[in-house]
Structures are given as C-alpha cells and as structure tokens.
Amino acid sequence: MKQPNDQTELRDFPWVVVRFRCHYCRRSGDARLASLAWRYGAHATLAQLLALFREPCPWRHGNPTRKPQKYGMKCGAYCPDIGRTSPPDWPPPMMGLSLIEGGKTDMLPAEPAPIERRRRVGGDDV
Ligand SMILES: [Zn+2]
C-alpha cells in the first residue's frame, strides 16, 4: 500500500477517516473520507485540507488579530496519518504480531538468587 503524503488526493487516501490535529491550539478533527470528497472534491489534496483546518487557528500565519512575528509560533496543524502504513482505526489485536526488543534473556528470574553468606576469618572463640 502507498503511504499517504501531503500531496495525496482524497480519492487515493487509503482509510475511511481523515484525522487532523494541531500541536499548539489543541484543536482536532476527524472527518469521513466520503464526506470530505463530497464537499471538497475527490482531487483535493491533504495539504489543501490542512490549509482549511488551519484557517480558524489562532496561531495560523497571517492572523490579523496577532502582530506578525518573524520567529513567533505558527499553527502546528498536521495529519497524523501522513506516512502511516497501517490503518489508524484497527484495534490492536488486528494489527498482528510485531517484533520488540529483547527476549527471554531479558526476563527477570522467577526465584531470587541464593544469598552468598560470608564466613568470619579467625574463628569465633576469641
Ligand atoms: Zn493550530
């Protein structure tokens, strides 16, 4: 499957829901692919939809109520599914098994190791 990128058109987007998030303003939106395509056309790209999502953001570039700042915060709108290869809405058991670091040698022992007792040197009857 082809990973979606910001130039992916809606008709090529592989999943049912398109998710939008912002790093700063905590806005988020999930939209059904079918309703996005009906409203904006099947050839709309993710980049165009992100621009629309950014529109009401207080941090967006060119907001007239904020003074322009060269190094100020900009809207952090993004699509979490850009670059993803597996559907975002599958429950974990359907994702299949995946390899993780470590293995049996990393496991903790079931019983504590025997305590090593020290002997006193020189005897006890002094
Ligand atoms: Zn934002």
Side-chain angles (χ1 to χ4, degrees), residues 2-126:
K2 225 178 132 209
Q3 297 174 3
N5 59 48
D6 64 343
Q7 291 308 309
T8 298
E9 296 182 354
L10 285 179
R11 64 180 188 149
D12 296 323
F13 192 77
W15 302 301
V16 175
V17 171
V18 188
R19 301 185 299 167
F20 299 95
R21 300 286 183 272
C22 178
H23 287 298
Y24 304 120
C25 58
R26 302 259 161 241
R27 289 182 318 124
S28 71
D30 293 349
R32 294 240 154 209
L33 181 63
S35 59
L36 284 176
W38 180 79
R39 193 162 168 192
Y40 302 108
H43 293 284
T45 62
L46 292 182
Q48 290 169 337
L49 295 169
L50 268 178
L52 291 170
F53 177 73
R54 215 170 270 144
E55 200 75 10
C57 178
W59 299 105
R60 78 175 190 278
H61 190 71
N63 181 349
T65 62
R66 300 185 71 83
K67 259 200 269 172
Q69 295 169 310
K70 192 172 181 186
Y71 301 107
M73 270 216 292
K74 293 187 186 86
C75 179
Y78 67 103
C79 267
D81 299 319
I82 285 179
R84 183 186 260 275
T85 52
S86 61
D89 39 11
W90 273 7
M94 289 182 68
M95 302 288 279
L97 300 174
S98 60
L99 214 59
I100 54 171
E101 289 275 318
K104 200 168 183 180
T105 52
D106 286 357
M107 288 172 66
L108 294 171
E111 285 178 24
I115 302 165
E116 198 178 304
R117 298 204 182 269
R118 286 188 179 178
R119 274 230 201 113
R120 183 175 287 189
V121 179
D124 290 3
D125 46 5
V126 176

